Amino acid sequence: MKRRKFLKNASLTGVGLAVGSAITSCDNKVEGQKIPVKENAESKAVLPVVVATWHVEEATAKAMDVLQSGGSSLDSVELGCKVEEANEKGQSVGKGGLPDREGNVTLDACIMDQNGNCGAVVYLKDIKHAVSVARKVMEDTPHVMLAGEGAKQFALESGFEAEDLLTEASKEAWKKWKVEAKYKPIINIENHDTIGMLAVDKNGNVSGACTTSGLAYKMNGRVGDSPIIGSGLFIDNEVGGATATGLGEEVVKTIGSFLIVELMRQGRSPQEACEEAIGRIVNKPGKDYKDFQVGYIAVNKKGETGCYSIHQYFSMTKFQDGENKQIQSDFYNKV
Ligand code: ASP
C-alpha cells in the first residue's frame, strides 16, 4: 500500500494518524527504521519461542519471561496478551479499544491450550482482560464460549472488576468518525491491531490466545474471527498453532487458523501455510482483496515460524533465541 492511499483511507475512516500500534508499524516504515523484511527461510527451529501479531515487544517480553521462569505456554500467552489489554494507548485491544457505531466498547477473545482445551468470550463489555475471562470459561465452566451479558456476569462472579473501557481518546476518535459515519468502514491496516499470540515452551508444548475490540465502528453486536476457535486462533499440540488479524469476516469464511495448522500437519512450513491461507482469500472469485487486510502468523512444534498478509505493513513480533524483534511480513499485493 502506498503511503498516500493509507493517508486517504485513514481520513475516510476518521481514524487519526496517532491511532494504535498498527499505525506505529506504518510509521516505522515512514521514519525509515530498519525492520527485517520477510519471514521464511531464516526461520529457526529454536525453543522456546513466542510470536505475536503486530508490534508488541512488551507483550512478547512478558510472555517469554513467563516461559523462562518455568511457566506454561498457556500462562505465557495469557500474561503476554494482558500487557496489551491494559495498554490504553492501543486502540484495538482491551481498555481504550475503539467502540462500535453506538459507542460501546465490546471485546472478543479466546485461548487454547496444549491439550486442545479452549475458551472464548464475545461481546464482552466493561472488563478489560477478556483473555483471562476466556481462560476462566475454559477452566471453570463446561462451555467453550460465553457472550454479552452472560459473559460479563460470569466475569464479575469470577472476581473481575468492571470499568469503563472507553477512553477519552477513543471517544474523540468515535465522535470524529460519526461526522461522516460511513455505514461500511473502509477496511485497512489502520484499524487492525488485534493481538494474537502463540507460545511454544522448551518441551514443544504449544498454546495460543487472541484478544481484540474488533473492527472500529462495527455494527452493534458484530463479532469477528478473533474469539472463534479455528478462525482467529487454532492450536494442535501435535503440529503447532496459528492466529489471525485483519478483516475477521474473511478469516471466518476460510477458517484460516485451522487451515494453517492442517497445512502444517501435511508438511508445509509455517511460512508456506500462511501464504496458502492468504491465497484462499485472495483467489476467491469476486473478492476485492484490495479493500481489506488479513495477516496470519504461525509456529510449529519445533519453533519454526511464519507470517504473511494481503497488504504491506503487517508485522509480527518474535522472541526467540534471546532476541525480541519486530519482523515486517512479506505480503501478496505487490502492485
Ligand atoms: N480480526 C479482528 C476482527 O475482525 C480485527 C483486527 O484484527 O483488528 O474483529
Side-chain angles (χ1 to χ4, degrees):
M1 168 178 305
K2 299 265 185 324
R3 175 74 176 160
R4 189 161 38 82
K5 186 168 172 220
F6 163 61
L7 288 169
K8 181 169 156 254
N9 287 344
S11 72
L12 279 173
T13 53
V15 180
L17 282 176
V19 173
S21 52
I23 296 261
T24 312
S25 312
C26 299
D27 285 352
N28 280 348
K29 171 77 166 45
V30 173
E31 285 160 15
Q33 282 185 17
K34 274 201 183 152
I35 302 169
V37 174
K38 213 167 176 179
E39 169 67 14
N40 50 21
E42 55 174 310
S43 177
K44 305 180 231 176
V46 174
L47 296 177
V49 60
V50 175
V51 284
T53 51
W54 303 109
H55 187 197
V56 289
E57 278 161 32
E58 275 180 39
T60 47
K62 177 71 198 175
M64 183 53 83
D65 199 42
V66 173
L67 290 180
Q68 302 287 20
S69 2
S72 65
S73 55
L74 184 67
D75 290 339
S76 165
V77 293
E78 182 196 356
L79 296 176
C81 284
K82 282 177 77 173
V83 171
E84 282 304 308
E85 287 179 335
N87 172 12
E88 294 183 22
K89 290 195 184 129
Q91 287 184 297
S92 308
V93 178
K95 181 143 181 154
L98 288 166
D100 67 17
R101 293 168 194 188
E102 278 143 63
N104 308 295
V105 180
T106 67
L107 306 183
D108 297 335
C110 71
I111 193 159
M112 192 161 187
D113 74 9
Q114 65 194 63
N115 299 315
N117 298 311
C118 50
V121 285
V122 304
Y123 198 83
L124 177 68
K125 284 185 186 167
D126 302 329
I127 311 282
K128 72 174 168 233
H129 288 308
V131 72
S132 300
V133 185
R135 181 168 177 177
K136 282 266 173 211
V137 172
M138 172 173 92
E139 291 178 339
D140 296 355
T141 81
H143 305 305
V144 163
M145 185 182 286
L146 291 180
E149 269 309 306
K152 181 174 168 184
Q153 188 189 326
F154 169 72
L156 294 174
E157 284 166 8
S158 304
F160 291 85
E161 274 181 26
E163 63 186 296
D164 187 0
L165 301 181
L166 186 61
T167 55
E168 273 312 308
S170 289
K171 201 187 218 167
E172 282 312 306
W174 172 58
K175 280 190 190 153
K176 275 191 201 145
W177 174 81
K178 282 213 295 182
V179 174
E180 287 200 28
K182 297 259 184 238
Y183 181 71
K184 191 172 177 209
I186 306 271
I187 304 304
N188 230 310
I189 51 176
E190 63 273 15
N191 58 4
H192 293 173
D193 197 17
T194 296
I195 174 163
M197 183 179 277
L198 309 166
V200 192
D201 69 17
K202 63 179 186 334
N203 301 316
N205 290 316
V206 192
S207 296
C210 189
T211 180
T212 189
S213 53
L215 293 183
Y217 320 125
K218 60 196 173 185
M219 288 177 73
N220 182 23
R222 182 262 188 192
V223 171
D225 61 312
S226 306
I228 310 293
I229 295 294
S231 294
L233 173 76
F234 196 71
I235 302 296
D236 184 323
N237 206 45
E238 283 184 5
V239 180
T243 187
T245 183
L247 181 60
E249 281 74 3
E250 296 304 320
V251 176
V252 168
K253 287 176 202 166
T254 47
I255 322 175
S257 294
F258 180 75
L259 173 64
I260 291 170
V261 172
E262 284 306 300
L263 288 165
M264 292 194 291
R265 186 196 302 282
Q266 290 162 23
R268 309 279 178 100
S269 69
Q271 183 63 34
E272 289 165 347
C274 289
E275 290 179 19
E276 170 70 29
I278 290 292
R280 298 284 174 100
I281 296 173
V282 297
N283 293 323
K284 272 189 177 172
K287 277 281 151 221
D288 195 356
Y289 61 82
K290 294 196 170 71
D291 290 341
F292 61 83
Q293 171 73 307
V294 171
Y296 288 114
I297 65 171
V299 66
N300 65 18
K301 212 172 160 54
K302 292 186 281 185
E304 291 163 336
T305 61
C307 58
Y308 199 65
S309 57
I310 300 177
H311 301 287
Q312 198 172 8
Y313 303 137
F314 173 53
S315 64
M316 169 173 84
T317 306
K318 171 155 82 167
F319 203 144
Q320 186 180 46
D321 212 9
E323 252 193 307
N324 189 16
K325 62 177 182 189
Q326 186 190 10
I327 294 163
Q328 192 69 41
S329 174
D330 193 14
F331 57 99
Y332 177 81
N333 185 21
K334 299 240 165 57
V335 187

